[in-house]
Amino acid sequence: MTSTESTDRPYAKYPVRIGVQIQPQHAQYADIRRTVAAAEELGVDVAFNWDHFYPLSGEPEGLHFECWTMLAAWAEATERIEFGALVTCNSYRNPDLLADMARTVDHISDGRLIFGIGSGWFEKDYDEYGYEFGTAGGRLDALGEALPRIEQRWAKLNPKPTRDIPVLIGGGGEKKTLKLVAQHANIWHGFGDAEVIGHKHAVLDQHCADLGRDPGEIERSVGVGDKRPEQIGKALLDVGTRLFTVHVSGPDYDLGLLREWIAFRDDINNK
Protein backbone atom coordinates (compact mmCIF):
# COMPACT_ATOMS: atom_id res chain seq x y z
CA MET A 1 0.00 0.00 0.00
CA THR A 2 1.35 3.41 -0.90
CA SER A 3 1.19 6.40 1.41
CA THR A 4 -1.31 8.00 -1.00
CA GLU A 5 -3.61 4.99 -0.77
CA SER A 6 -3.33 5.01 3.01
CA THR A 7 -4.24 8.70 3.19
CA ASP A 8 -7.01 8.71 0.62
CA ARG A 9 -8.53 5.36 1.54
CA PRO A 10 -7.96 4.50 5.18
CA TYR A 11 -10.01 1.31 4.72
CA ALA A 12 -7.17 0.04 2.51
CA LYS A 13 -5.42 -0.89 5.76
CA TYR A 14 -7.41 -4.13 5.88
CA PRO A 15 -5.87 -7.33 4.53
CA VAL A 16 -7.49 -8.88 1.49
CA ARG A 17 -10.12 -11.44 2.41
CA ILE A 18 -12.09 -13.86 0.29
CA GLY A 19 -15.69 -14.83 0.86
CA VAL A 20 -17.97 -17.36 -0.78
CA GLN A 21 -21.74 -17.09 -0.98
CA ILE A 22 -23.05 -20.64 -1.00
CA GLN A 23 -26.49 -20.07 -2.43
CA PRO A 24 -28.90 -22.50 -0.74
CA GLN A 25 -30.82 -23.34 -3.90
CA HIS A 26 -31.19 -26.41 -6.13
CA ALA A 27 -29.29 -28.66 -3.72
CA GLN A 28 -29.90 -30.96 -0.79
CA TYR A 29 -28.56 -29.73 2.54
CA ALA A 30 -25.92 -32.48 2.62
CA ASP A 31 -24.40 -30.93 -0.51
CA ILE A 32 -24.46 -27.48 1.05
CA ARG A 33 -22.80 -28.77 4.21
CA ARG A 34 -20.05 -30.48 2.21
CA THR A 35 -19.46 -27.27 0.25
CA VAL A 36 -19.07 -25.21 3.43
CA ALA A 37 -16.55 -27.74 4.73
CA ALA A 38 -14.66 -27.76 1.43
CA ALA A 39 -14.53 -23.95 1.31
CA GLU A 40 -13.15 -23.81 4.85
CA GLU A 41 -10.54 -26.42 3.97
CA LEU A 42 -9.50 -24.39 0.89
CA GLY A 43 -8.82 -21.42 3.16
CA VAL A 44 -11.75 -19.09 2.53
CA ASP A 45 -12.19 -16.34 5.11
CA VAL A 46 -15.99 -15.95 5.14
CA ALA A 47 -18.89 -18.16 4.05
CA PHE A 48 -22.25 -16.57 3.35
CA ASN A 49 -25.67 -17.88 2.44
CA TRP A 50 -28.67 -15.65 1.60
CA ASP A 51 -32.03 -14.89 3.14
CA HIS A 52 -34.67 -15.96 0.63
CA PHE A 53 -37.43 -18.55 0.54
CA TYR A 54 -37.23 -19.45 -3.15
CA PRO A 55 -34.45 -19.77 -5.72
CA LEU A 56 -33.35 -16.56 -7.41
CA SER A 57 -32.22 -18.32 -10.58
CA GLY A 58 -33.08 -21.53 -12.37
CA GLU A 59 -36.28 -23.36 -11.55
CA PRO A 60 -38.32 -20.85 -9.46
CA GLU A 61 -39.92 -23.62 -7.39
CA GLY A 62 -36.67 -25.58 -7.01
CA LEU A 63 -35.02 -26.91 -3.88
CA HIS A 64 -34.33 -24.23 -1.30
CA PHE A 65 -33.54 -23.88 2.43
CA GLU A 66 -34.03 -21.18 5.08
CA CYS A 67 -31.22 -18.85 6.09
CA TRP A 68 -30.93 -18.57 9.87
CA THR A 69 -31.55 -22.17 10.87
CA MET A 70 -28.80 -22.99 8.37
CA LEU A 71 -26.43 -20.44 9.95
CA ALA A 72 -26.90 -22.10 13.34
CA ALA A 73 -25.88 -25.40 11.73
CA TRP A 74 -22.86 -23.76 10.10
CA ALA A 75 -21.80 -22.45 13.51
CA GLU A 76 -21.39 -26.06 14.64
CA ALA A 77 -20.12 -27.45 11.33
CA THR A 78 -17.20 -25.00 10.93
CA GLU A 79 -14.25 -24.18 13.13
CA ARG A 80 -12.31 -21.22 11.76
CA ILE A 81 -14.19 -19.15 9.21
CA GLU A 82 -16.51 -16.25 9.81
CA PHE A 83 -19.95 -16.66 8.30
CA GLY A 84 -23.31 -14.96 7.92
CA ALA A 85 -26.11 -14.00 5.57
CA LEU A 86 -25.49 -11.95 2.46
CA VAL A 87 -27.87 -10.55 3.48
CA THR A 88 -30.67 -10.98 6.01
CA CYS A 89 -33.93 -9.36 4.92
CA ASN A 90 -34.98 -6.94 7.63
CA SER A 91 -38.66 -7.37 6.74
CA TYR A 92 -38.94 -11.03 7.69
CA ARG A 93 -38.33 -10.93 11.45
CA ASN A 94 -38.97 -8.73 14.45
CA PRO A 95 -35.71 -6.77 15.00
CA ASP A 96 -35.41 -7.73 18.67
CA LEU A 97 -35.93 -11.40 17.84
CA LEU A 98 -33.39 -11.14 15.03
CA ALA A 99 -30.88 -9.62 17.45
CA ASP A 100 -31.42 -12.54 19.83
CA MET A 101 -31.04 -15.06 17.02
CA ALA A 102 -27.78 -13.44 15.95
CA ARG A 103 -26.49 -13.36 19.54
CA THR A 104 -27.28 -17.07 19.90
CA VAL A 105 -25.50 -18.02 16.67
CA ASP A 106 -22.60 -15.80 17.74
CA HIS A 107 -22.25 -17.87 20.93
CA ILE A 108 -22.66 -21.21 19.16
CA SER A 109 -19.77 -20.26 16.88
CA ASP A 110 -17.55 -18.76 19.59
CA GLY A 111 -17.74 -15.33 18.00
CA ARG A 112 -17.51 -15.90 14.23
CA LEU A 113 -20.83 -14.47 13.03
CA ILE A 114 -21.01 -11.51 10.63
CA PHE A 115 -24.45 -9.91 10.84
CA GLY A 116 -25.33 -9.10 7.25
CA ILE A 117 -28.57 -7.20 6.72
CA GLY A 118 -30.45 -5.30 4.03
CA SER A 119 -33.88 -3.86 3.38
CA GLY A 120 -35.22 -6.65 1.14
CA TRP A 121 -36.23 -6.69 -2.52
CA PHE A 122 -37.50 -10.10 -3.74
CA GLU A 123 -41.24 -9.64 -4.08
CA LYS A 124 -42.07 -13.34 -4.39
CA ASP A 125 -40.73 -13.97 -0.87
CA TYR A 126 -43.04 -11.29 0.49
CA ASP A 127 -46.11 -12.41 -1.40
CA GLU A 128 -45.76 -16.12 -0.68
CA TYR A 129 -44.97 -15.72 3.02
CA GLY A 130 -47.49 -12.97 3.74
CA TYR A 131 -45.24 -9.97 4.29
CA GLU A 132 -46.21 -6.54 3.04
CA PHE A 133 -43.92 -5.61 0.15
CA GLY A 134 -44.57 -1.87 0.26
CA THR A 135 -42.05 0.40 -1.42
CA ALA A 136 -38.26 0.42 -1.64
CA GLY A 137 -38.18 3.66 0.34
CA GLY A 138 -40.48 2.27 3.00
CA ARG A 139 -38.37 -0.86 3.38
CA LEU A 140 -35.24 1.26 3.78
CA ASP A 141 -36.97 3.39 6.41
CA ALA A 142 -37.92 0.21 8.26
CA LEU A 143 -34.27 -0.91 8.17
CA GLY A 144 -33.24 2.45 9.59
CA GLU A 145 -35.70 1.95 12.46
CA ALA A 146 -34.61 -1.66 13.06
CA LEU A 147 -30.85 -1.16 13.33
CA PRO A 148 -30.92 0.85 16.59
CA ARG A 149 -33.35 -1.68 18.07
CA ILE A 150 -30.97 -4.51 17.18
CA GLU A 151 -28.05 -2.68 18.78
CA GLN A 152 -30.08 -1.91 21.90
CA ARG A 153 -31.24 -5.52 22.23
CA TRP A 154 -27.67 -6.79 21.98
CA ALA A 155 -26.79 -4.52 24.91
CA LYS A 156 -29.66 -5.94 27.00
CA LEU A 157 -29.26 -9.65 26.32
CA ASN A 158 -27.93 -12.01 28.98
CA PRO A 159 -25.41 -13.25 28.09
CA LYS A 160 -24.32 -10.48 25.78
CA PRO A 161 -22.74 -11.32 22.42
CA THR A 162 -19.21 -12.67 22.64
CA ARG A 163 -17.91 -9.61 20.77
CA ASP A 164 -19.17 -6.50 19.04
CA ILE A 165 -20.82 -8.45 16.24
CA PRO A 166 -19.65 -7.03 12.89
CA VAL A 167 -22.56 -5.53 10.97
CA LEU A 168 -22.50 -5.79 7.18
CA ILE A 169 -25.03 -3.75 5.22
CA GLY A 170 -25.61 -4.55 1.58
CA GLY A 171 -26.89 -2.15 -1.06
CA GLY A 172 -25.73 0.87 -3.00
CA GLY A 173 -28.42 3.50 -2.51
CA GLU A 174 -26.50 6.70 -1.97
CA LYS A 175 -28.96 8.79 0.05
CA LYS A 176 -30.33 6.22 2.50
CA THR A 177 -28.43 2.93 2.37
CA LEU A 178 -24.90 4.33 2.46
CA LYS A 179 -25.90 6.74 5.22
CA LEU A 180 -27.11 3.74 7.26
CA VAL A 181 -23.76 2.08 6.57
CA ALA A 182 -21.96 5.14 7.93
CA GLN A 183 -24.17 5.12 11.01
CA HIS A 184 -24.22 1.43 11.87
CA ALA A 185 -22.00 -0.87 9.79
CA ASN A 186 -18.52 -2.34 10.01
CA ILE A 187 -18.62 -3.68 6.43
CA TRP A 188 -20.26 -2.32 3.29
CA HIS A 189 -21.08 -4.79 0.50
CA GLY A 190 -21.82 -3.69 -3.04
CA PHE A 191 -21.73 -4.72 -6.68
CA GLY A 192 -20.19 -3.13 -9.75
CA ASP A 193 -16.94 -2.43 -11.53
CA ALA A 194 -14.12 -0.42 -10.03
CA GLU A 195 -15.50 2.89 -11.30
CA VAL A 196 -18.90 2.27 -9.71
CA ILE A 197 -17.44 0.94 -6.47
CA GLY A 198 -14.94 3.77 -6.20
CA HIS A 199 -17.78 6.27 -6.56
CA LYS A 200 -19.82 4.51 -3.88
CA HIS A 201 -16.79 4.56 -1.58
CA ALA A 202 -16.52 8.32 -2.05
CA VAL A 203 -20.20 8.79 -1.22
CA LEU A 204 -19.85 6.60 1.87
CA ASP A 205 -16.73 8.50 2.93
CA GLN A 206 -18.70 11.75 2.72
CA HIS A 207 -21.50 10.33 4.88
CA CYS A 208 -18.85 9.33 7.41
CA ALA A 209 -17.37 12.83 7.34
CA ASP A 210 -20.83 14.35 7.88
CA LEU A 211 -21.35 12.09 10.91
CA GLY A 212 -17.83 12.52 12.29
CA ARG A 213 -16.97 8.86 11.75
CA ASP A 214 -13.63 7.53 10.53
CA PRO A 215 -14.31 5.87 7.13
CA GLY A 216 -11.41 3.55 7.88
CA GLU A 217 -13.64 1.75 10.37
CA ILE A 218 -15.70 0.31 7.50
CA GLU A 219 -14.30 -2.60 5.50
CA ARG A 220 -15.25 -2.48 1.82
CA SER A 221 -16.69 -5.66 0.24
CA VAL A 222 -17.82 -6.54 -3.27
CA GLY A 223 -19.46 -9.44 -5.07
CA VAL A 224 -17.24 -10.54 -7.97
CA GLY A 225 -19.83 -12.53 -9.90
CA ASP A 226 -18.15 -14.88 -12.36
CA LYS A 227 -15.11 -12.65 -12.91
CA ARG A 228 -11.59 -13.93 -12.42
CA PRO A 229 -9.07 -12.00 -10.32
CA GLU A 230 -6.91 -11.06 -13.30
CA GLN A 231 -9.95 -9.39 -14.87
CA ILE A 232 -11.08 -7.17 -12.00
CA GLY A 233 -9.00 -7.83 -8.90
CA LYS A 234 -6.37 -5.08 -9.14
CA ALA A 235 -8.81 -2.36 -10.18
CA LEU A 236 -11.15 -3.13 -7.27
CA LEU A 237 -8.19 -3.39 -4.92
CA ASP A 238 -6.96 0.03 -6.02
CA VAL A 239 -10.26 1.69 -5.03
CA GLY A 240 -10.10 0.15 -1.57
CA THR A 241 -12.02 -3.12 -1.83
CA ARG A 242 -10.69 -5.71 0.58
CA LEU A 243 -13.35 -8.43 0.85
CA PHE A 244 -14.08 -10.20 -2.45
CA THR A 245 -16.97 -12.68 -2.53
CA VAL A 246 -17.52 -15.42 -5.09
CA HIS A 247 -20.99 -16.94 -5.44
CA VAL A 248 -21.68 -20.61 -6.12
CA SER A 249 -25.03 -22.30 -6.68
CA GLY A 250 -26.37 -25.83 -6.50
CA PRO A 251 -26.76 -28.54 -7.48
CA ASP A 252 -23.04 -28.70 -8.31
CA TYR A 253 -21.07 -26.24 -6.22
CA ASP A 254 -17.99 -25.56 -8.35
CA LEU A 255 -15.21 -24.03 -6.24
CA GLY A 256 -12.72 -23.55 -9.07
CA LEU A 257 -13.15 -19.77 -9.23
CA LEU A 258 -12.95 -19.57 -5.44
CA ARG A 259 -9.52 -21.23 -5.58
CA GLU A 260 -8.32 -18.54 -7.99
CA TRP A 261 -9.48 -15.74 -5.70
CA ILE A 262 -7.86 -17.39 -2.67
CA ALA A 263 -4.58 -17.50 -4.62
CA PHE A 264 -5.06 -13.80 -5.47
CA ARG A 265 -5.51 -13.02 -1.77
CA ASP A 266 -2.40 -14.94 -0.79
CA ASP A 267 -0.34 -13.21 -3.46
CA ILE A 268 -1.44 -9.74 -2.33
CA ASN A 269 -1.18 -10.34 1.41
CA ASN A 270 2.24 -11.98 1.16
CA LYS A 271 3.83 -9.08 -0.70
Side-chain angles (χ1 to χ4, degrees):
M1 183 195 316
T2 69
S3 59
T4 300
E5 285 176 323
S6 179
T7 300
D8 293 347
R9 302 186 183 95
Y11 33 88
K13 66 185 178 183
Y14 292 98
V16 172
R17 300 202 295 164
I18 302 300
V20 59
Q21 184 189 53
I22 300 169
Q23 299 172 350
Q25 60 177 8
H26 308 306
Q28 296 292 346
Y29 182 68
D31 299 315
I32 297 170
R33 182 178 61 241
R34 282 192 290 270
T35 303
V36 175
E40 183 170 49
E41 185 174 355
L42 284 174
V44 77
D45 297 291
V46 188
F48 296 106
N49 62 7
W50 66 25
D51 190 17
H52 295 289
F53 305 130
Y54 293 91
L56 298 187
S57 62
E59 168 53 50
E61 301 295 324
L63 299 173
H64 200 278
F65 289 97
E66 194 275 329
C67 170
W68 274 90
T69 45
M70 182 180 297
L71 291 179
W74 286 10
E76 290 280 12
T78 60
E79 296 180 355
R80 175 190 58 81
I81 56 173
E82 291 189 301
F83 63 97
L86 193 64
V87 289
T88 302
C89 177
N90 176 65
S91 306
Y92 300 159
R93 301 165 192 86
N94 171 284
D96 291 86
L97 171 61
L98 183 56
D100 201 345
M101 291 165 58
R103 180 280 311 253
T104 300
V105 174
D106 165 67
H107 274 265
I108 295 170
S109 67
D110 293 324
R112 293 183 290 116
L113 177 72
I114 292 174
F115 183 73
I117 192 166
S119 60
W121 62 274
F122 189 43
E123 190 168 2
K124 180 176 180 177
D125 283 347
Y126 287 79
D127 292 345
E128 291 283 351
Y129 277 58
Y131 297 105
E132 181 182 352
F133 188 59
T135 66
R139 294 192 299 276
L140 275 168
D141 290 341
L143 176 61
E145 294 168 2
L147 287 163
R149 286 179 57 183
I150 290 166
E151 294 164 353
Q152 291 160 14
R153 181 57 54 187
W154 280 339
K156 294 177 182 178
L157 289 168
N158 184 16
K160 289 180 170 53
T162 66
R163 62 173 179 166
D164 290 334
I165 298 175
V167 174
L168 177 154
I169 294 178
E174 297 181 8
K175 292 182 178 179
K176 289 187 176 181
T177 302
L178 292 181
K179 185 175 182 180
L180 290 174
V181 173
Q183 291 171 323
H184 299 282
N186 308 97
I187 306 169
W188 172 67
H189 182 82
F191 297 91
D193 61 20
E195 182 177 0
V196 169
I197 293 296
H199 170 71
K200 300 293 184 183
H201 286 177
V203 174
L204 177 53
D205 293 349
Q206 186 59 56
H207 282 306
C208 288
D210 294 343
L211 294 166
R213 184 177 183 191
D214 176 3
E217 295 175 357
I218 303 172
E219 185 179 13
R220 311 303 166 96
S221 169
V222 71
V224 300
D226 60 358
K227 300 295 186 182
R228 302 176 69 177
E230 61 264 31
Q231 294 175 290
I232 60 173
K234 185 180 185 304
L236 287 168
L237 191 73
D238 287 347
V239 298
T241 305
R242 288 300 179 270
L243 174 56
F244 300 83
T245 297
V246 176
H247 68 259
V248 294
S249 180
D252 300 315
Y253 290 105
D254 183 351
L255 300 183
L257 184 61
L258 179 63
R259 290 184 175 91
E260 294 184 30
W261 279 98
I262 289 172
F264 168 80
R265 174 202 66 191
D266 293 344
D267 181 60
I268 296 297
N269 287 345
N270 291 333
K271 285 182 177 178

